Amino acid sequence: MKIFPSDKIEITTSLSLEEVRTILTNNIRQKTGVIFGSNNSKNTKLFEGSFEQDRFEIQRVITGRNSFLPQIKGHIRPSMNGTKLIADLTIHKFVIGFMVVWFSLVTISLIFGSTSLQTNPIFLLVPLIMIAFGIVLVKFGYNIQKNKSISDLKMILNGKLIHKNSI
């Protein structure tokens, strides 16, 4: 079972490589800080990050903060009938590092609690519940935002998702 979700997608479109470049350039802004409150109507760009030499590192523009927002790294290339976008969706490396430390500390407390002779077995449920909660939180938070990110990419490119798998 994979604790940290990630996906690889391929989206094809009948648009030319130059048209896709223009669309991505017009829909990606430079990364900014966290925005609280209502979404500003001046911002019409769906993604933030960078797009250079047919490679991109982006994430969806959202209001507030979501640590499980997929980081999308990929590239575009010409295909027989238009253009193909190939991307990997992952969780931010800082979040993975934080969750590894968190899971490690909870696991250590579970091990020490289980080896202690005077520990009531009911108290061992707390670390197990914390581990299960962490796994569900990561997967749920990522999957909701992943689907929105893929839908937005398909929409702006007028493309079709031809390949999606967990890596």
Side-chain angles (χ1 to χ4, degrees), residues 4-5 19 33 40 46-47 69 75 77 82 103 107 109 134 136 146 148 153-154:
F4 301 110
E19 290 173 312
N40 196 345
L46 294 173
F47 296 95
L69 187 66
H75 62 279
R77 68 174 193 215
F103 283 133
T107 303
S109 71
V136 169
K146 169 191 75 171
K148 290 178 183 178
L153 280 171
K154 287 187 332 187

Side-chain angles (χ1 to χ4, degrees), residues 28-32 47-51 57-59:
I28 299 173
R29 71 175 191 196
Q30 291 295 331
K31 268 195 174 180
T32 61
F47 296 95
E48 63 182 4
S50 63
F51 177 65
E57 290 186 26
I58 59 175
Q59 66 183 28

Side-chain angles (χ1 to χ4, degrees), residues 12-78:
T12 59
T13 180
S14 59
L15 301 173
S16 70
L17 188 62
E18 195 55 45
E19 290 173 312
V20 171
R21 284 181 186 134
T22 302
I23 289 170
L24 288 177
T25 301
N26 291 337
N27 282 283
I28 299 173
R29 71 175 191 196
Q30 291 295 331
K31 268 195 174 180
T32 61
V34 179
I35 301 170
F36 293 100
S38 64
N39 200 355
N40 196 345
S41 61
K42 296 176 198 169
N43 177 30
T44 58
K45 300 197 178 195
L46 294 173
F47 296 95
E48 63 182 4
S50 63
F51 177 65
E52 297 172 0
Q53 300 175 350
D54 295 344
R55 297 199 170 276
F56 56 88
E57 290 186 26
I58 59 175
Q59 66 183 28
R60 274 186 63 245
V61 173
I62 60 171
T63 348
R65 179 80 177 119
N66 182 344
S67 297
F68 305 109
L69 187 66
Q71 305 300 301
I72 307 168
K73 289 184 182 182
H75 62 279
I76 57 173
R77 68 174 193 215

Side-chain angles (χ1 to χ4, degrees), residues 60-117:
R60 274 186 63 245
V61 173
I62 60 171
T63 348
R65 179 80 177 119
N66 182 344
S67 297
F68 305 109
L69 187 66
Q71 305 300 301
I72 307 168
K73 289 184 182 182
H75 62 279
I76 57 173
R77 68 174 193 215
S79 68
M80 291 176 57
N81 298 327
T83 305
K84 184 182 287 190
L85 179 141
I86 301 167
D88 294 322
L89 287 75
T90 59
I91 294 176
H92 197 281
K93 289 180 172 114
F94 177 79
V95 175
I96 291 174
F98 175 81
M99 293 304 291
V100 165
V101 170
W102 191 72
F103 283 133
S104 299
L105 292 174
V106 172
T107 303
I108 289 169
S109 71
L110 178 66
I111 292 169
F112 282 129
S114 65
T115 58
S116 173
L117 296 175

